Amino acid sequence: MTERKEADPREALADEGLLSPQVETWRHIYIDNYRDWFELARELNRYAVSLFQDHQDAGDGGPANAAAPTAVRVYGRALNAFTASIMLAERAMTIEAVGAVRPIHEAGFWLSLLATNPEKALEELDIDHHKHAVDREQLLRAAYPGNAELHSASVQREAAHAALLGKRRPISMKALAASLPGDPGYLQYRLASGFYGHLSRNSLDALKLRTGDKGVRPILGPFETEIPKALFFAIDAMARTTRYFAALVKVRDANDILSALRTTLTDLGKADAEAGPQGG
């Protein structure tokens, strides 16, 4: 395992924080230190990209908001979030890497619903769109109380969305996940959201370095030893979401491919737990 020369990473980050050019040097060290983890993440990424490319034109010629093209765009959103999570993990920005996992899970929930009940999924997406549009217009007017011209236009836009929304109300992520077959990963979604995605005591506790005198010192990072945990969250979420997308577009060999990837993920997790903390 490659070691960094800096005893205190704060020295290299004093001027630019985690935008310091030194982080790019460390990035190569992290990838080397956790080679098996990053290779698995990239293997899954390559398979996910191939699925996206193979089905990118699904529903071509039909309405853009139909089930097939909607599913491809939803999967594309998950793929981009997965890429972001890997890029952050490469720089040992592990809190942020797990925070990026949230939209991967949400994409998976929607893809599962699109696969099992496309009509309901499309309606729920429509409800979500109009409800958030109504909320945004109300917030806009509250932010600019003295602008009569803005208010007039905003009221008209809100009325149009409210008419399309009617009495319908958006489904919560909890209710959406509960409506899906099997284990959609809602627990992992909540862990990624509550512990990492939101400002929480858990995420704040990570930003401290214990000193020799039993004290603590706030730090920005990096958090090298947390890289396996971050990648576990990301790979688990993307594997679930990819399984849902593959089922939707009817890829027959996806289960075998994803099962093999998940076996490797489980083995890496066990090996990491047995090895204990690594890195510096």
Side-chain angles (χ1 to χ4, degrees):
M1 176 174 288
T2 309
E3 298 290 343
R4 294 196 306 274
K5 293 181 180 180
E6 290 81 7
D8 186 349
R10 295 185 309 157
E11 296 176 7
L13 307 180
D15 294 328
E16 297 186 75
L18 291 171
L19 286 178
S20 168
Q22 182 64 44
V23 173
E24 186 62 24
T25 300
W26 292 345
R27 169 178 168 268
H28 295 287
I29 295 173
Y30 300 148
I31 293 173
D32 184 61
N33 285 351
Y34 300 93
R35 186 182 301 110
D36 291 344
W37 284 96
F38 283 111
E39 285 181 354
L40 179 61
R42 288 185 175 274
E43 182 180 355
L44 175 55
N45 181 69
R46 285 190 293 270
Y47 180 62
V49 170
S50 72
L51 282 183
F52 180 84
Q53 297 290 356
D54 288 346
H55 300 279
Q56 193 170 5
D57 296 327
D60 188 31
N65 61 347
T70 298
V72 175
R73 294 196 302 275
V74 170
Y75 189 58
R77 177 73 192 277
L79 186 52
N80 286 346
F82 184 56
T83 301
S85 185
I86 295 171
M87 293 173 69
L88 289 164
E90 287 179 346
R91 291 155 178 82
M93 298 177 65
T94 51
I95 298 172
E96 292 73 21
V98 181
V101 169
R102 177 176 178 170
I104 304 176
H105 278 295
E106 291 183 353
F109 300 156
W110 285 111
L111 286 170
S112 182
L113 188 60
L114 278 163
T116 56
N117 193 337
E119 293 81 8
K120 179 176 175 56
L122 293 173
E123 182 184 16
E124 290 294 348
L125 284 169
D126 186 66
I127 293 170
D128 182 80
H129 168 69
H130 292 299
K131 178 62 169 66
H132 281 91
V134 168
D135 291 345
R136 284 196 302 273
E137 295 300 338
Q138 293 174 356
L139 289 169
L140 178 65
R141 295 197 300 274
Y144 298 94
N147 192 324
E149 183 178 354
L150 180 148
H151 275 234
S152 177
S154 175
V155 167
Q156 292 181 37
R157 290 193 299 267
E158 181 187 340
H161 284 290
L164 293 170
L165 178 63
K167 295 183 179 179
R168 301 179 301 171
R169 293 294 178 266
I171 191 171
S172 68
M173 283 296 114
K174 182 177 182 180
L176 174 57
S179 72
L180 302 175
D183 174 17
Y186 185 71
L187 171 61
Q188 291 79 0
Y189 165 73
R190 286 301 302 270
L191 289 172
S193 300
F195 280 62
Y196 300 91
H198 299 305
L199 192 150
S200 64
R201 182 171 181 177
N202 296 91
S203 63
L204 291 176
D205 284 347
L207 297 179
K208 63 186 182 183
L209 179 69
R210 298 197 177 278
T211 60
D213 58 359
K214 298 184 180 180
V216 295
R217 181 171 66 214
I219 59 172
L220 296 174
F223 303 105
E224 179 182 351
T225 58
E226 297 296 308
I227 288 174
K229 183 188 295 183
L231 289 176
F232 189 97
F233 270 102
I235 294 168
D236 171 73
M238 194 63 197
R240 291 174 186 272
T241 298
T242 298
R243 190 182 297 275
Y244 298 141
F245 181 70
L248 197 150
V249 295
K250 298 179 172 57
V251 178
R252 295 182 179 180
D253 62 349
N255 278 338
D256 291 340
I257 293 171
L258 292 169
S259 293
L261 288 169
R262 185 164 289 282
T263 297
T264 303
L265 177 63
T266 300
D267 291 344
L268 283 175
K270 289 180 180 178
D272 185 71
E274 292 171 359
Q278 304 178 63

